[in-house]
């Protein structure tokens, strides 16, 4: 499958619209999920997907290394998500839609998932990005460094500080719920 993706990327770079469309279809779920993790609602996530797809389409000819397509596309999605967040003045309310999409194994799991998502929402954007890419997508420090265009040690710092902030926020959320 990877070889097929690389072949499509090479065709898309040369201007093949069908190849680009197939790439978008193949990566759509990942693009949407990444956007949703940032913006926390379907409408904004769809806007991010649309904008990121457009930006990728208009700039794919600048992609030098077809093997880095996924990283390049993720970077575009994160940038577009950041713009949407800034437009909302960095205020991201916890929505019923987000809660409805959480796993429904048991009420305590929903409550815990909701608290964790709420805590992640409250992190600074750099910390949130590092945490999401590392824990939700299992990206390596090196890949996160490439996506965020920062040194690997900075990624490690963001992860460390992000986890520390999460512990504080998560604990205060737990105290509110159980206090």
């Amino acid at each position: 499958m990877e070889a097929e993706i690389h072949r499509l990327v090479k065709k898309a770079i040369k201007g093949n619209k069908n190849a680009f469309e197939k790439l978008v279809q193949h990566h759509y779920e990942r693009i949407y999920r990444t956007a949703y993790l940032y913006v926390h609602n379907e409408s904004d996530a769809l806007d991010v997907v649309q904008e990121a797809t457009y930006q990728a389409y208009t700039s794919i000819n600048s992609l030098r290394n077809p093997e880095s397509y996924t990283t390049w596309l993720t970077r575009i999605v994160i940038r577009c998500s950041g713009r949407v967040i800034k437009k909302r003045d960095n205020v991201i309310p916890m929505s019923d839609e987000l809660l409805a999409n959480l796993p429904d194994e048991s009420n305590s799991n929903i409550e815990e998932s909701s608290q964790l998502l709420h805590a992640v929402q409250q992190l600074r954007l750099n910390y949130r990005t590092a945490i999401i890419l590392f824990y939700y997508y299992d990206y390596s420090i090196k890949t996160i460094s490439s996506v965020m265009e920062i040194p690997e040690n900075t990624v490690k710092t963001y992860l460390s500080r992000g986890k520390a902030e999460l512990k504080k926020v998560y604990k205060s959320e737990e105290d509110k719920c159980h206090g």
Side-chain angles (χ1 to χ4, degrees), residues 30 34 38 68-79 126 129-130 132-134 137-152 155 158:
R30 174 187 212 101
T34 301
Y38 279 91
S68 63
Y69 172 77
T70 304
T71 302
W72 173 79
L73 184 60
T74 302
R75 189 178 308 136
I76 292 172
V77 172
I78 290 169
R79 236 182 273 130
N126 288 339
T129 298
I132 288 171
L133 293 177
F134 190 77
Y137 288 107
D138 294 326
Y139 277 16
S140 68
I141 302 277
K142 183 177 182 149
T143 303
I144 296 169
S145 168
S146 173
V147 168
M148 294 180 73
E149 299 176 320
I150 57 174
E152 289 181 29
V155 172
Y158 286 172

Side-chain angles (χ1 to χ4, degrees), residues 23 58 82-83 108-109 152 177:
L23 285 170
T58 59
R83 284 192 205 108
S108 69
N109 283 349
E152 289 181 29
C177 292

Side-chain angles (χ1 to χ4, degrees), residues 38-56:
Y38 279 91
V39 299
H40 304 289
N41 73 58
E42 183 178 358
S43 175
D44 287 343
L46 291 171
D47 287 347
V48 168
V49 169
Q50 184 175 9
E51 180 61 24
T53 302
Y54 173 75
Q55 286 186 17

Side-chain angles (χ1 to χ4, degrees), residues 64-125:
R64 289 183 195 91
N65 183 359
E67 289 77 29
S68 63
Y69 172 77
T70 304
T71 302
W72 173 79
L73 184 60
T74 302
R75 189 178 308 136
I76 292 172
V77 172
I78 290 169
R79 236 182 273 130
C80 291
S81 297
R83 284 192 205 108
V84 167
I85 291 168
K86 282 181 183 167
K87 281 181 187 173
R88 294 186 312 198
D89 294 325
N90 291 325
V91 177
I92 306 170
M94 190 68 170
S95 69
D96 293 336
E97 183 183 330
L98 180 61
L99 292 173
N101 289 320
L102 293 172
D104 58 348
E105 295 167 28
S106 75
N107 286 342
S108 69
N109 283 349
I110 288 176
E111 191 176 306
E112 284 179 27
S113 295
S114 148
Q115 289 171 358
L116 184 58
L117 283 171
H118 189 68
V120 169
Q121 284 178 284
Q122 294 180 32
L123 294 175
R124 286 180 32 192
L125 187 58

Side-chain angles (χ1 to χ4, degrees), residues 12-24:
I13 289 171
K14 292 177 183 172
N16 185 317
K17 291 177 184 176
N18 288 336
F20 182 80
E21 191 175 319
K22 286 178 184 173
L23 285 170
V24 170

